[in-house]
Amino acid sequence: MRVIVTVVEKVLSVTHIDIPDGLSEPAIRQHIVDRYNSGEILTDLNIFQVDFESISAEIVKQTGENS
């Protein structure tokens, strides 16, 4: 029997970054989003916490297998 198992987890990642002084709050948000979207932050992120959300399984009928 083949079963597809799906696990959903919420992963919290943390990093410390330097940003220019004097930015407004919206500019800080945009700076962080731009760095994240460019992939620049991804290499610095450290997994901080993983929370289990759900697990499910689906039985897959294989070729030639009876119900």
Side-chain angles (χ1 to χ4, degrees), residues 11 13-15 17 28-45:
V11 178
S13 300
V14 176
T15 189
I17 62 171
I28 292 170
R29 287 187 185 135
Q30 189 61 53
H31 182 79
I32 293 168
V33 168
D34 290 345
R35 288 191 55 189
Y36 179 82
N37 287 340
S38 73
E40 191 176 339
I41 288 179
L42 296 177
T43 57
D44 298 329
L45 287 172

Side-chain angles (χ1 to χ4, degrees), residues 4-30:
I4 298 172
V5 177
T6 303
V7 177
V8 178
E9 298 172 327
K10 179 172 60 174
V11 178
L12 300 172
S13 300
V14 176
T15 189
H16 296 267
I17 62 171
D18 293 318
I19 58 173
D21 291 332
L23 295 178
S24 65
E25 189 174 312
I28 292 170
R29 287 187 185 135
Q30 189 61 53

Side-chain angles (χ1 to χ4, degrees), residues 1-6 56-61:
M1 174 186 322
R2 181 159 303 262
V3 178
I4 298 172
V5 177
T6 303
S56 63
E58 176 185 351
I59 298 172
V60 178
K61 191 172 186 179

